[in-house]
Amino acid sequence: MADFNVNLRRFESVSIIDVKGYLDAHTAPMLESVFNKLLEEKNFRVVVNFNELNYISSAGLGVFMAYIETMRQNNGDIKFTNLKDNVYNIFDLLGFPLLYEFYKDEKEAIKKFIDQEKS
Amino acid sequence: MQKLDNTTALRNLSALIDFSNLINSSLDLDFTLNNILLTCLGKFHTTKGIIALVNDSLILEVKASKGVSENVIKSFPALKVEEIYNKQEFNEYLISNSFEILQTINSSAGVKGILILGKKFTNLPYDESDKEFLKTILNVGATAIENSLIVNKLKSVNRELDTKVNQLKSLFDLSKEFSGILQPDKIGKLLVYTLIGHLLVSNYAVIVCEKDNYTFLESSFNENNLKTFLNECLANKFDKPVLSNELKKNYSTIYNAGIELIVPMQIKGETKGLILLGKRKNNLPYSQTDIEFISSLGSLAILSIENAKLFKEMLEKQRMERDLETARNIQKNLLPKTIPELSNLSLVAYNISAKIVGGDYYDIVKLDDDNVLIAIADVSGKGVSASLLMANLQAFLKSICKQKLPLNEATNLINDLVVENTMMGNFITFFWCIFKNSTKQLTYVNAGHNPPLLIRNSTITKLKKGGMILGFLPTTVTYVSETIQLESDDVIVMFTDGITEAMNKNFEEYTDERLEKLVLENSKDEPESILEKIKESVNEFIGGAEQNDDITCLIMKVR
């Protein structure tokens, strides 16, 4: 079984998801359940930290597609940070940078949410 | 004068060397084209210029410009390289926009494009040396342009390859994953995730079709809108992908619902489901490669869904077989294990269950030293439900026996119990009798059962007295019993319709007449022998045809 781990943290009003290992068709449901939990709790501001993610498949990308609209409709968003080059390349290849915000560092993404809240 | 010429030539040469160094230092096409244009603008003191390159369709396309407005670029006519000198439209374009000089950009592989420049700021015409210098610049530039184009092409080929590799990975990933999943809804979910992740779509539906039925595995569309559509045009009509243009033309309702692509999911060329997709978030159209990818994914998914369905059916079948086995065991345990011995009566019994488990029942209960009760019944229905009803009947019968009621009253009671305890439409045909050993009297009640045959002196009397079948209506008209004085050598044959309705391969029935004739001919024999003859005769008649009903037969002979 592919190694995948997902962890949820909070920073003020922002939820941070740490993804680790391989995100593919097999492990996608684990990420999905985290997103479902966030929706239930009405947490729509999400930063996904890819620091320890080594591989992402199309099914993994699909999970983000499935939740982005709901998050945005509720004045939230999903922002991506700390991507390794090989993972970013897949996002880039499929045109994700057109739709999502990518940041080098998690702090930048969190700051964006918090600034937005203040304004 | 000579010195001035030399100085000019020297300056041109040094400018060319600088230009060549600069332009070959980068593989970026925009950088190269910009520098060519800027060098020309500076050298010839002109305020505008355009470079148009030949694209994949061999048409000139503006790739860089300086000092010209958006409109001028937009109005650049679509023309092929060989038309630049003889197309009136292009000539007019050059004149109206005050372009004065045109030079082709040539490489070893032919003409790559053109450069056009505006009037000189000084209003002086371009002289021969200007034209020569321009040619030289473009000759140097052409190589840089070609290199940049090749690099661009390589980049795009690489990207295409990466996309293909990614698609293959997805397919591989899913084929691995699908094979282990046996729930169609999970398969649908993974399929959708892969599709929306790969193609950047957020509106989708996965529909599984079975004949005229369809189920939505996944859908983000308004299902009611789609249902109308699916009712209008049967899903199995789609045997190849349908793109937005055709949808707009032929299926406007579905196009208006936001669907841009329909891809059938097929097994051996037969459409078993549909994938419906909305607009892509990056506004790109669905390419042939995309559609091939979706089709491959769809085929993988539908195959797994079909397998999951077959697996479920297999489980269901196994469960049913287990149920039948249970039913068979219940029935077997309800039948009497031993037959009581009486001085004035020989009795044999035979029962065989049909494959699907019917509901024949018989019982022999010794009431006291002198009386024995014999019952035969056929419970409606098959399988577990028939077995349970039969078990009920046995319980009623055993407890009523203990009350020592007259047989007709006992029948009233048993009927009411059955009515109370059965669902609508279930009933029992029932015959029971009490044989009194000391007097050889037989008292019986027939509740709608095939009348047992009493054979005495080569004539048959049918034991019909009683009332209607058990379980049909509460007892209002009471059952009647009859008591007959039996004599030595009287034979009574009780049976269920499994015998008289036994069917051969031509769907002909064994019939009452055949049975009656047979027992008449053999009534002198012992009960065991009569039973054997009946079994033989029925078996011979059906000739191996599978039977739907149980066969039960009881034969008694008075001594």
Side-chain angles (χ1 to χ4, degrees):
Chain A
M1 192 179 141
D3 178 32
F4 178 74
N5 221 308
V6 58
N7 176 47
L8 189 61
R9 290 181 281 138
R10 296 233 196 275
F11 185 87
E12 294 183 15
S13 64
V14 183
S15 306
I16 304 141
I17 301 177
D18 292 297
V19 283
K20 193 174 171 181
Y22 275 66
L23 178 51
D24 56 15
H26 192 79
T27 55
M30 287 167 76
L31 180 62
E32 196 194 351
S33 63
V34 172
F35 272 108
N36 283 335
K37 190 174 164 214
L38 290 177
L39 287 189
E40 258 172 47
E41 294 167 353
K42 302 205 182 307
N43 287 317
F44 304 116
R45 296 165 172 202
V46 185
V47 170
V48 186
N49 189 322
F50 287 83
N51 193 28
E52 293 186 77
L53 193 84
N54 298 321
Y55 171 77
I56 188 163
S57 78
S58 297
L61 300 175
V63 178
F64 298 113
M65 277 305 291
Y67 291 93
I68 183 82
E69 281 192 3
T70 321
M71 299 298 177
R72 288 191 180 163
Q73 277 159 10
N74 288 288
N75 294 319
D77 198 4
I78 304 174
K79 299 187 201 294
F80 298 155
T81 73
N82 303 71
L83 285 89
K84 290 186 176 154
D85 283 349
N86 62 328
V87 174
Y88 179 78
N89 283 346
I90 297 172
F91 277 100
D92 184 41
L93 200 62
L94 300 176
F96 268 71
L98 274 175
L99 293 178
Y100 287 85
E101 291 173 21
F102 289 80
Y103 298 92
K104 283 229 162 7
D105 191 86
E106 172 186 307
K107 283 186 191 127
E108 292 173 54
I110 296 174
K111 187 173 179 295
K112 190 84 188 285
F113 272 129
I114 290 171
D115 287 351
Q116 194 188 343
E117 198 173 6
K118 283 176 189 157
S119 65
Chain B
M1 192 64 196
Q2 179 73 37
K3 197 178 171 189
L4 191 69
D5 279 355
N6 281 346
T7 317
T8 313
L10 210 60
R11 214 189 293 139
N12 279 354
L13 193 62
S14 113
L16 261 180
I17 290 167
D18 280 350
F19 171 72
S20 169
N21 281 341
L22 179 77
I23 215 161
N24 285 312
S25 68
S26 165
L27 283 169
D28 181 59
L29 184 65
D30 287 340
F31 176 86
T32 310
L33 297 181
N34 265 328
N35 272 301
I36 295 175
L37 273 178
L38 288 175
T39 305
C40 291
L41 261 56
K43 171 71 190 163
F44 303 118
H45 310 299
T46 175
T47 55
K48 59 182 175 186
I50 286 178
I51 295 179
L53 298 181
V54 177
N55 65 15
D56 288 342
S57 329
L58 303 176
I59 304 287
L60 284 169
E61 196 182 315
V62 176
K63 288 286 183 190
S65 66
K66 297 282 166 207
V68 291
S69 68
E70 196 78 11
N71 280 341
V72 176
I73 295 170
K74 270 193 191 147
S75 58
F76 190 88
L79 76 165
K80 292 185 173 170
V81 144
E82 56 266 28
E83 297 170 329
I84 50 175
Y85 296 115
N86 49 26
K87 197 146 193 178
Q88 183 65 23
E89 190 193 353
F90 189 49
N91 209 17
E92 279 166 16
Y93 175 83
L94 293 178
I95 292 167
S96 64
N97 291 304
S98 315
F99 286 106
E100 200 168 300
I101 188 163
L102 179 154
Q103 182 61 51
T104 54
I105 304 167
N106 304 308
S107 78
S108 53
V111 183
K112 285 270 149 214
I114 59 166
L115 173 135
I116 50 179
L117 293 172
K119 284 190 165 67
K120 284 187 169 186
F121 201 60
T122 52
N123 266 333
L124 291 171
Y126 287 85
D127 61 23
E128 276 311 308
S129 69
D130 290 335
K131 287 179 189 167
E132 279 306 310
F133 190 70
L134 183 60
K135 263 189 203 168
T136 316
I137 283 180
L138 290 184
N139 282 340
V140 174
T143 320
I145 291 173
E146 202 167 14
N147 287 343
S148 308
L149 283 175
I150 288 170
V151 167
N152 273 1
K153 186 101 191 159
L154 266 177
K155 272 187 191 159
S156 101
V157 168
N158 257 336
R159 218 179 149 79
E160 262 172 48
L161 258 178
D162 280 352
T163 312
K164 286 269 183 201
V165 167
N166 194 39
Q167 286 183 351
L168 268 178
K169 266 189 187 161
S170 295
L171 276 173
F172 180 65
D173 192 13
L174 278 196
S175 65
K176 226 171 36 182
E177 200 53 33
F178 279 166
S179 60
I181 305 180
L182 289 167
Q183 295 111 305
D185 51 341
K186 272 199 178 168
I187 297 170
K189 186 136 230 158
L190 275 188
L191 172 67
V192 160
Y193 274 156
T194 308
L195 285 175
I196 65 179
H198 202 93
L199 299 158
L200 286 181
V201 276
S202 55
N203 285 325
Y204 51 81
V206 178
I207 299 167
V208 177
C209 316
E210 267 176 303
K211 290 177 192 142
D212 290 346
N213 281 330
Y214 46 83
T215 28
F216 285 88
L217 273 194
E218 286 288 329
S219 173
S220 70
F221 290 110
N222 180 333
E223 286 183 18
N224 283 333
N225 284 354
L226 296 186
K227 272 178 193 158
T228 330
F229 158 75
L230 288 165
N231 285 338
E232 276 170 16
C233 48
L234 288 173
N236 56 19
K237 227 165 69 177
F238 294 93
D239 55 358
K240 51 179 185 295
V242 186
L243 278 146
S244 57
N245 281 346
E246 198 186 330
L247 285 174
K248 197 172 178 180
K249 209 168 78 188
N250 297 333
Y251 308 101
S252 57
T253 32
I254 198 151
Y255 179 79
N256 293 334
I259 290 164
E260 296 252 317
L261 176 70
I262 298 182
V263 178
M265 297 194 277
Q266 296 185 311
I267 297 177
K268 288 182 188 161
E270 194 188 335
T271 302
K272 299 272 188 182
L274 297 175
I275 296 173
L276 314 183
L277 294 175
K279 212 174 172 54
R280 297 181 70 177
K281 288 280 170 193
N282 52 10
N283 287 327
L284 289 177
Y286 289 100
S287 69
Q288 196 51 42
T289 325
D290 294 332
I291 293 168
E292 279 164 15
F293 175 65
I294 301 167
S295 291
S296 313
L297 273 186
S299 304
L300 263 183
I302 197 71
L303 210 67
S304 303
I305 290 169
E306 197 78 357
N307 280 343
K309 232 163 46 190
L310 289 177
F311 184 72
K312 208 177 140 199
E313 279 171 16
M314 202 179 77
L315 282 186
E316 183 68 12
K317 213 176 141 213
Q318 278 180 354
R319 197 187 59 76
M320 275 174 64
E321 272 167 12
R322 269 203 308 278
D323 277 0
L324 279 182
E325 194 53 44
T326 314
R328 226 175 258 140
N329 284 335
I330 294 176
Q331 292 195 6
K332 231 170 129 193
N333 288 325
L334 293 176
L335 302 181
K337 306 254 173 339
T338 52
I339 294 175
E341 283 182 20
L342 290 163
S343 53
N344 290 327
L345 189 72
S346 301
L347 184 58
V348 290
Y350 171 75
N351 164 269
I352 184 167
S353 288
K355 229 180 175 179
I356 35 180
V357 183
D360 277 9
Y361 167 67
Y362 73 89
D363 216 338
I364 302 160
V365 185
K366 200 164 178 188
L367 299 175
D368 50 46
D369 284 345
D370 198 24
N371 293 292
V372 66
L373 179 132
I374 302 154
I376 183 165
D378 188 353
V379 173
S380 71
K382 307 260 178 234
V384 175
S385 70
S387 300
L388 291 177
L389 183 51
M390 194 192 288
N392 263 347
L393 176 68
Q394 193 207 33
F396 299 151
L397 188 138
K398 296 248 154 133
S399 51
I400 288 172
C401 281
K402 299 243 184 308
Q403 299 184 27
K404 311 236 182 240
L405 292 170
L407 207 55
N408 58 334
E409 278 176 41
T411 315
N412 295 342
L413 201 57
I414 214 168
N415 177 53
D416 283 338
L417 284 169
V418 173
V419 168
E420 272 174 41
N421 287 283
T422 54
M423 309 285 274
M424 282 289 290
N426 273 335
F427 58 86
I428 302 170
T429 70
F430 185 62
F431 174 92
W432 60 349
C433 57
I434 294 171
F435 177 75
K436 198 172 176 59
N437 193 47
S438 54
T439 60
K440 298 185 191 173
Q441 276 181 333
L442 184 91
T443 306
Y444 77 88
V445 174
N446 187 341
H449 194 78
N450 295 51
L453 311 171
L454 165 62
I455 304 108
R456 181 182 294 166
N457 302 329
S458 299
T459 47
I460 289 180
T461 313
K462 294 184 178 178
L463 308 182
K464 290 180 178 171
K465 285 268 159 52
M468 73 161 108
I469 47 176
L470 302 183
F472 193 63
L473 279 175
T475 312
T476 44
V477 181
T478 52
Y479 288 87
V480 291
S481 62
E482 184 179 29
T483 303
I484 325 164
Q485 180 62 54
L486 295 180
E487 294 164 11
S488 286
D489 296 331
D490 280 357
V491 170
I492 296 179
V493 179
M494 301 176 203
F495 59 94
T496 54
D497 58 10
I499 291 183
T500 50
E501 289 172 12
M503 220 172 260
N504 67 11
K505 282 175 179 157
N506 300 323
F507 302 104
E508 292 158 341
E509 287 187 355
Y510 184 76
T511 68
D512 286 290
E513 290 72 28
R514 263 204 189 84
L515 179 67
E516 286 164 24
K517 188 165 172 269
L518 186 82
V519 292
L520 270 182
E521 283 166 4
N522 296 288
S523 63
K524 299 271 182 297
D525 294 358
E526 284 305 296
E528 288 85 0
S529 151
I530 302 174
L531 182 62
E532 275 315 306
K533 295 229 164 78
I534 295 175
K535 274 155 71 178
E536 264 171 38
S537 165
V538 171
N539 278 336
E540 195 184 322
F541 176 79
I542 58 180
E546 195 172 294
Q547 296 302 298
N548 285 324
D549 214 346
D550 298 359
I551 287 176
T552 305
C553 186
L554 270 76
I555 298 175
M556 47 203 267
K557 187 161 194 173
V558 183
R559 299 201 187 280

